C-alpha cells in the first residue's frame, strides 16, 4: 500500500488488495488479477523494478503476436543490482551463472505480460501449502507454456530483480552463482 500512497503523481486507477496473513505470492497475485479489469496482466512486487520501456515493449510483443498468450522480457539481476555494497555477508557478490540467469528469466512473473484469458484458462497461480513460499512461479509458467504459445524478447532487459536481504534472489544466491548441481539446493 505504501508505494500507491507515496506515488509522486496521480496514480492510475487501482485497487489495493490486502491480506491479513501471508498466504503466499500466488494467492496474492490471483486476488490482484481478480480485482483488476484489464485484458493484459503485469506482476510487480517490492523487489521488482519495471524500466520505462517494459510496458510498451510488452504491448508491442502482444500486438505483433496476437495468437500468443504471453510475452516474456529479459531481466537484470546479479551483483550490480544490490541495495547494499558489493560485499554481502563475508563474501563478494558474484554474477549469476548464465544457466540461472535464463532459468530465472523464464520462470519469474516479473518480466511477464499475460493476456487475461490465458491466466484464467490455466486458473492462475497454484496455491496450497506446497506453493506457499516457493515454486508457484515455475508451476504457473509451465502451465502457460503448455497451454499457450508465448514470445520471448531477446533485446535489452526491461525489468530489474533487486537483491534484498532475505528475498528469493538473496536466499538462493550461492546456488545461482554456481553451475547447476554443484551446490546442494537449499
Amino acid at each position: 500500500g505504501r508505494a500507491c500512497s507515496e506515488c509522486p503523481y496521480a496514480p492510475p486507477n487501482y485497487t489495493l488488495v490486502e491480506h491479513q496473513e501471508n498466504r503466499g505470492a500466488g494467492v496474492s497475485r490471483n486476488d490482484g488479477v481478480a480485482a483488476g479489469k484489464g485484458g493484459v496482466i503485469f506482476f510487480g512486487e517490492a523487489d521488482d523494478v519495471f524500466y520505462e520501456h517494459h510496458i510498451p515493449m510488452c504491448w508491442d510483443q502482444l500486438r505483433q503476436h496476437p495468437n500468443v498468450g504471453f510475452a516474456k522480457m529479459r531481466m537484470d539481476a546479479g551483483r550490480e543490482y544490490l541495495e547494499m555494497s558489493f560485499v554481502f555477508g563475508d563474501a563478494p557478490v558474484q554474477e549469476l551463472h548464465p544457466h540461472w540467469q535464463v532459468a530465472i528469466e523464464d520462470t519469474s512473473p516479473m518480466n511477464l505480460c499475460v493476456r487475461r484469458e490465458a491466466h484464467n484458462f490455466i486458473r492462475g497461480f497454484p496455491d496450497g501449502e506446497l506453493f506457499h513460499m516457493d515454486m508457484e512461479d515455475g508451476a504457473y509458467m509451465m502451465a502457460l507454456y503448455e497451454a499457450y504459445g508465448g514470445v520471448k524478447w531477446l533485446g535489452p532487459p526491461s525489468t530489474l530483480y533487486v537483491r534484498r536481504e532475505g528475498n528469493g534472489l538473496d536466499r538462493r544466491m550461492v546456488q545461482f552463482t554456481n553451475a547447476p548441481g554443484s551446490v546442494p539446493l537449499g
Side-chain angles (χ1 to χ4, degrees):
R2 189 181 74 201
C4 295
S5 65
E6 293 177 4
C7 192
Y9 48 85
N13 292 332
Y14 66 90
T15 301
L16 181 61
V17 178
E18 294 184 273
H19 294 124
Q20 297 303 314
E21 63 182 50
N22 182 352
R23 295 175 30 222
V27 171
S28 296
R29 292 179 190 132
N30 289 337
D31 288 351
V33 170
K37 297 178 180 90
V40 175
I41 302 163
F42 294 85
F43 299 101
E45 298 174 2
D47 49 12
D48 302 341
V49 175
F50 288 1
Y51 296 151
E52 68 181 47
H53 64 280
H54 176 66
I55 292 175
M57 290 303 303
C58 287
W59 280 110
D60 287 347
Q61 292 302 305
L62 291 178
R63 274 196 298 269
Q64 290 174 25
H65 305 280
N67 295 323
V68 301
F70 63 94
K72 291 288 282 181
M73 303 289 127
R74 302 258 344 278
M75 65 190 292
D76 284 328
R79 83 167 161 226
E80 302 113 59
Y81 311 108
L82 285 169
E83 286 196 335
M84 57 201 77
S85 71
F86 290 112
V87 175
F88 193 75
D90 295 327
V93 176
Q94 302 170 336
E95 280 298 311
L96 299 179
H97 185 278
H99 168 85
W100 293 113
Q101 174 70 36
V102 172
I104 292 169
E105 281 182 3
D106 287 351
T107 58
S108 174
M110 160 178 68
N111 59 332
L112 169 72
C113 59
V114 61
R115 297 182 196 276
R116 179 177 292 277
E117 62 264 22
H119 174 87
N120 290 344
F121 181 80
I122 65 167
R123 298 190 173 144
F125 285 87
D127 56 16
E129 195 60 35
L130 176 64
F131 299 103
H132 183 84
M133 293 302 291
D134 204 4
M135 300 176 53
E136 77 285 341
D137 297 350
Y140 181 81
M141 288 310 306
M142 285 174 60
L144 274 179
Y145 281 115
E146 188 72 25
Y148 285 89
V151 60
K152 184 171 181 183
W153 169 252
L154 298 177
S158 68
T159 59
L160 167 64
Y161 186 179
V162 177
R163 180 180 177 192
R164 292 197 172 107
E165 191 169 353
N167 76 355
L169 180 60
D170 177 52
R171 289 191 315 268
R172 292 199 170 141
M173 201 61 174
V174 171
Q175 175 189 353
F176 291 158
T177 55
N178 290 283
S182 64
V183 175
L185 298 178

